[in-house]
Amino acid sequence: MSSHTKLSFAHPPARPGETPDFSALEIPAAGALPVPRLDIAAQDCVEHANSLIRVMDDRGEAVGPWADYLSDMEPEALREGLRHMMTSRIIDMRMMNAQRQGKMSFYIQSVGEEAIACGFQRCLKPGDMNFPTYRQQGLLIAGGYPLEKLIGQFYSNAYDPLQGRQLPTLHSARDYGYFTVSGNLGTQYVHAVGWAMANALTGKDNIAIGWIGDGSTASNDFHTALLSASSYWPPVILNVVNNQWAISTYTGVARGHGRTYAARALGYGIPALRIDGNDYLAVLAVTRWATERVRAGHGAILIEWYTYRVGAHSSSDDPSAYRPKDEAKAWPLGDPIERLKQHLILSDEWSEARHVQAEAEILAEVIEVQKRVEAAGTMIDPKPIPGASIFKGVYADMPEHIRRQRQEMGV
Amino acid sequence: MPHLTMIEALRDAMDVMLARDPQVILFGEDVGYFGGVFRCTSGLQKKYGEERVFDTPINESAIVGLGIGMAAQGMKPCVEIQFADYVFPAYDQITQEAARIRHRSNEQFSCPLVIRMPTGGGIFGGQTHSQSPEALFTHVAGLKVVQPATPYDAKGLLIASIECPDPVIFLEPKRLYNGPFNGDHKAPAQSWKTHALGDVPEGHYAIPLGKARIHREGEAVTILTYGTMVFVAEAAVEKAGIDAEIIDLRSLLPLDLEAIEASVRKTGRCIVLHEATKTSGLAGEIIACVQEACFYHLEAPIQRVTGWDAPYPHALEWDYFPGQDRVCRALEAVMEV
């Protein structure tokens, strides 16, 4: 009898040229899971961590206890949420085109995942701090961040609040609760826990929110953050955006033989929920619940947002090389904008005509801002930021050796 | 003025700052209840409570990463890594995050974090308890790197580091924790209790970062060094009978270029001495700075005395350690020309 052992390599259900296959995806009915007690413990969270919380059913109707949890939500708030998602998508479209036109070096879009960041931001208070990745621009858009600063950062011109020091989409906006984004993956997850600990230690009521992608859960600092949150129980929400692709690496490689990323938190004693990330109402409901829990002092929580990265990882990536071209269309949890739109139409709070009109308005606004920002310089019409910016802010005070280098540069 | 060991002086600095600034917080492995493996924080948890001084899991990336988040929020964490050799799991957090946050955010965020760690050999620590990794940090823009050689400086520099608005790597030469060392391991151990440089004022005082100290004034040759090697240089100079000037750099990033250049221009000769390995060590950088600024003042090629390009060996520490005999040979070589 052979004793030869073999390794297990994760594979996506379909590769280019094959038919998209999401048949293994278990999609529970909307409204199936209860709203837990705010002080729920990890051991009582097994179902919430392994299933999928959904609020909107296939028709777009909000059903179940999580829908009741949102019963005070005004239609105007939902229309505003729809507008945030549409703005995010239109900016993505315009910026991807600008990148292809050679006007900027690089761009990262969030098409298909707009509900998560746009919805989450609606439940935060001034002074709360997100520790995002490069794909959470929706936090800024929904938080009212000026579009000229958002777009200026992509172009690294005079409108860029960061003076050309960071890659496009690596924003920093302290006043809007947006921590400076790192190009290294996962590091910010620990910072969120530290910030939350500082809030607790200094008597602030604010919370911190960590964001990480499914691929980056493989980083040391994902586990470091969970360990730290488990040790000290600070007011932090740890989000995992599972969009199923880490550039070309299928999510199963990072997940291994674990069932869900949410369930991973349970081993640290941290309660966790798993949510349909394309369901704007589910995002709102669960975020509202999670922020209430954390603000009430019941400790850290992890949320896995289950979604699908419709676009490429970045403007430098070609997903048709590693997954079926039409896979996004086959994604069974739909499009977050279409789903909220349908929900609002179903409740007579929206219409196709109003949607078309809103799209045109948002597009006109984005184009106006884009033109204004582009006038301050693009890669094909450069109006460079003064080189002295390189030497500013390395330290609070400029040391002698940097002063000499600045003189050498002649600025 | 009380005589203190370097350990007591460091503890005194943290005590002063904990009392003075409610944003100051200490944590690290064993730092809380036990007071650290070298007892630098001994008694501080009892005095200030568990919310100001506490233990962490054995995870250096957590210690530094949590410190970054707290510092960015406005606190002033002073964290301990048990040995400098253990810092590498946190290297990414230190070099790519703490060092960069001010610059990349255009000063929207900053990171006033102090990372203390015992450094260097002379305690039979071997490969993973005796390294001197300063050059791996002095290469990183955005960090400050400090190493005291006396209890007086240890207290004043640590207070200045905690008050610094930028991240500071604070390297504590553990061979000097209890007293100075002249490179002769067979000689009786000296105590700071009977040494003038163990005088440490009470209360608050700060020594500016970026400023070197003239340990011994002289005219014949400049020895640029820091940490334990300050006392090795002193012993070698006395043995060789040469009127050397010994500069204790204290701040390794930024270097005190003006003090270095002034001394070398005065003496016309220069030796750079450190315990860390030679290749790509800090001595190379210091020598380049001297060459750039003082070439026409030099009477002889600059000498470099360092640890060997090998891992620190447990039972052969005294062969590895740049002792006073090696410094004497360098002095002879540089004075021959």
Side-chain angles (χ1 to χ4, degrees):
Chain A
M1 200 170 169
S2 170
S3 62
H4 184 62
T5 57
K6 289 189 176 179
L7 301 181
S8 167
F9 296 95
H11 299 287
R15 285 294 193 186
E18 297 175 347
T19 304
D21 178 11
F22 289 109
S23 59
L25 183 60
E26 295 173 26
I27 305 176
L33 284 168
V35 178
R37 288 161 48 109
L38 287 181
D39 62 350
I40 192 169
Q43 66 267 24
D44 300 323
C45 249
V46 174
E47 192 180 6
H48 284 85
N50 284 288
S51 187
L52 199 65
I53 295 171
R54 304 176 69 225
V55 172
M56 280 188 270
D57 66 16
D58 293 342
R59 291 175 57 243
E61 190 167 351
V63 296
W66 286 98
D68 296 341
Y69 196 68
L70 286 177
S71 57
D72 62 338
M73 188 66 67
E74 296 291 335
E76 182 52 35
L78 298 183
R79 282 193 292 268
E80 197 174 45
L82 184 64
R83 194 174 179 91
H84 293 150
M85 290 197 287
M86 293 166 73
T87 304
S88 177
R89 186 161 300 181
I90 285 168
I91 289 173
D92 277 350
M93 179 189 72
R94 297 290 305 177
M95 296 306 124
M96 278 298 292
N97 285 344
Q99 195 279 335
R100 295 298 188 234
Q101 290 165 347
K103 293 177 179 173
M104 69 174 75
S105 63
F106 178 73
Y107 189 72
I108 290 182
Q109 57 184 331
S110 55
V111 173
E113 313 175 21
E114 293 92 342
I116 300 163
C118 290
F120 196 97
Q121 178 64 36
R122 307 299 299 283
C123 302
L124 297 182
K125 293 181 178 174
D128 294 341
M129 186 59 68
N130 289 287
F131 292 76
T133 76
Y134 39 70
R135 216 184 295 280
Q136 272 84 48
Q137 292 174 51
L139 295 169
L140 290 170
I141 292 165
Y145 189 59
L147 288 189
E148 65 185 21
K149 288 189 177 182
L150 186 90
I151 294 176
Q153 201 276 327
F154 306 146
Y155 285 98
S156 292
N157 63 18
Y159 282 98
D160 177 7
L162 308 183
Q163 295 291 289
R165 296 174 197 166
Q166 280 278 54
L167 272 174
T169 73
L170 302 190
H171 302 277
S172 177
R174 183 170 190 139
D175 294 344
Y176 291 82
Y178 203 89
F179 192 70
T180 164
V181 178
S182 176
N184 285 18
L185 297 176
T187 49
Q188 76 285 352
Y189 226 47
V190 196
H191 305 162
V193 180
W195 185 288
M197 289 173 70
N199 280 348
L201 289 166
T202 54
K204 292 189 175 73
D205 291 332
N206 286 116
I207 65 171
I209 307 100
W211 295 86
I212 203 164
D214 55 294
S216 301
T217 61
S219 71
N220 298 335
D221 283 333
F222 171 72
H223 300 278
T224 297
L226 262 61
L227 171 70
S228 304
S230 174
S231 293
Y232 303 110
W233 223 226
V236 67
I237 298 174
L238 296 168
N239 292 308
V240 177
V241 179
N242 176 4
N243 69 13
Q244 306 185 53
W245 291 95
I247 307 186
S248 73
T249 301
Y250 173 58
T251 191
V253 177
R255 194 184 62 231
H257 286 268
R259 179 172 160 77
T260 71
Y261 293 101
R264 203 153 272 182
L266 303 184
Y268 287 95
I270 296 173
L273 313 174
R274 188 163 176 265
I275 322 297
D276 175 355
N278 288 23
D279 179 341
Y280 186 85
L281 297 182
V283 175
L284 281 186
V286 171
T287 307
R288 176 186 276 192
W289 179 87
T291 52
E292 284 179 12
R293 171 195 160 85
V294 173
R295 287 189 208 284
H298 297 305
I301 187 147
L302 184 140
I303 304 173
E304 176 184 344
W305 305 99
Y306 195 49
T307 184
Y308 181 84
R309 195 195 75 208
V310 171
H313 164 74
S314 75
S315 54
S316 305
D317 172 38
D318 174 15
S320 71
Y322 52 81
R323 65 185 193 189
K325 270 185 181 172
D326 51 352
E327 192 176 71
K329 288 179 189 156
W331 170 241
L333 292 176
D335 178 277
I337 294 177
E338 286 300 314
R339 287 177 67 186
L340 183 58
K341 174 185 151 189
Q342 277 309 118
H343 169 74
L344 287 167
I345 289 174
L346 197 67
S347 45
D348 288 330
E349 297 293 345
W350 198 241
S351 68
E352 290 287 356
R354 289 176 75 180
H355 196 81
V356 170
Q357 185 187 347
E359 265 182 343
E361 288 169 2
I362 295 166
L363 181 61
E365 182 192 0
V366 170
I367 288 173
E368 187 276 319
V369 176
Q370 186 182 4
K371 281 184 177 170
R372 188 150 37 94
V373 172
E374 285 186 357
T378 68
M379 282 183 70
I380 54 178
D381 177 23
K383 294 174 184 172
I385 291 165
S389 167
I390 292 171
F391 302 106
K392 291 178 184 166
V394 180
Y395 298 94
D397 298 310
M398 191 176 292
E400 173 68 11
H401 69 290
I402 295 184
R403 191 184 63 75
R404 290 184 186 185
Q405 288 171 29
R406 192 184 65 178
Q407 284 179 334
E408 188 181 335
M409 192 187 196
V411 290
Chain B
M1 193 180 295
H3 289 283
L4 299 182
T5 66
M6 187 180 284
I7 288 172
E8 290 165 340
L10 292 164
R11 184 188 309 137
D12 192 23
M14 290 184 271
D15 193 354
V16 166
M17 291 309 294
L18 282 162
R20 190 180 173 96
D21 185 348
Q23 300 296 320
V24 173
I25 184 171
L26 314 181
F27 54 92
E29 297 150 22
D30 301 312
V31 160
Y33 185 84
F34 183 58
V37 291
F38 288 101
R39 316 311 304 275
C40 283
T41 55
S42 184
L44 296 177
Q45 185 182 74
K46 194 171 182 184
K47 187 170 180 182
Y48 294 97
E50 201 170 26
E51 294 202 332
R52 304 285 305 281
V53 184
F54 58 86
D55 292 320
T56 63
I58 303 176
N59 182 324
E60 288 75 17
S61 192
I63 294 167
V64 173
L66 295 176
I68 290 169
M70 292 183 193
Q73 192 264 11
M75 298 191 79
K76 289 186 168 290
C78 177
V79 305
E80 178 176 300
I81 302 294
Q82 214 159 64
F83 285 85
D85 316 65
Y86 299 169
V87 75
F88 298 102
Y91 195 67
D92 181 43
Q93 286 285 359
I94 295 171
T95 60
Q96 309 294 301
E97 302 298 327
R100 306 280 177 81
I101 280 170
R102 177 185 293 280
H103 188 258
R104 79 180 189 216
S105 70
N106 198 15
E107 310 210 52
Q108 293 176 12
F109 298 92
S110 62
C111 188
L113 169 67
V114 179
I115 305 169
R116 295 177 38 241
M117 56 186 100
T119 188
I123 62 155
F124 291 103
Q127 297 189 4
T128 55
H129 296 76
S130 291
Q131 294 172 76
S132 296
E134 60 268 22
L136 292 163
F137 295 105
T138 56
H139 192 57
V140 181
L143 296 179
K144 294 192 175 184
V145 181
V146 173
Q147 186 168 163
T150 71
Y152 175 85
D153 279 0
K155 179 176 173 182
L157 288 168
L158 184 54
I159 286 175
S161 297
I162 294 171
E163 291 175 338
C164 177
D166 292 309
V168 179
I169 304 296
F170 195 90
L171 296 162
E172 299 167 4
K174 53 187 169 289
R175 186 59 188 81
L176 300 183
Y177 267 158
N178 291 302
F181 174 63
N182 68 2
D184 180 2
H185 66 285
K186 292 175 185 164
Q190 296 183 64
S191 168
W192 288 114
K193 300 284 184 187
T194 56
H195 199 285
L197 292 167
D199 289 351
V200 178
E202 292 177 354
H204 178 278
Y205 69 93
I207 295 172
L209 306 185
K211 295 292 177 191
R213 173 181 70 90
I214 299 175
H215 181 74
R216 180 193 189 282
E217 289 196 26
E219 300 291 332
V221 53
T222 296
I223 301 178
L224 301 171
T225 189
Y226 50 92
T228 306
M229 290 299 123
V230 168
F231 300 97
V232 174
E234 186 178 42
V237 165
E238 286 174 12
K239 187 175 180 181
I242 292 171
D243 184 24
E245 181 149 292
I246 300 173
I247 304 286
D248 173 8
L249 295 169
R250 301 196 294 196
S251 174
L252 311 183
L253 181 68
L255 288 165
D256 188 346
L257 297 173
E258 289 172 357
I260 292 169
E261 290 163 13
S263 180
V264 176
R265 282 179 180 144
K266 179 176 77 171
T267 64
R269 290 178 166 82
C270 181
I271 293 169
V272 183
L273 166 64
H274 65 53
E275 188 180 337
T277 48
K278 185 173 189 175
T279 300
S280 297
L282 187 57
E285 172 59 31
I286 295 168
I287 290 167
C289 289
V290 171
Q291 287 277 105
E292 282 173 356
C294 308
F295 180 75
Y296 293 107
H297 298 268
L298 288 170
E299 304 288 344
I302 301 168
Q303 295 287 316
R304 169 164 57 156
V305 184
T306 71
W308 306 117
D309 282 341
Y312 223 120
H314 165 63
L316 303 170
E317 284 211 346
W318 310 116
D319 294 301
Y320 183 93
F321 211 86
Q324 51 183 303
D325 292 343
R326 289 183 59 204
V327 181
C328 283
R329 286 200 291 276
L331 282 166
E332 288 167 18
V334 79
M335 296 306 296
E336 267 178 12
V337 182

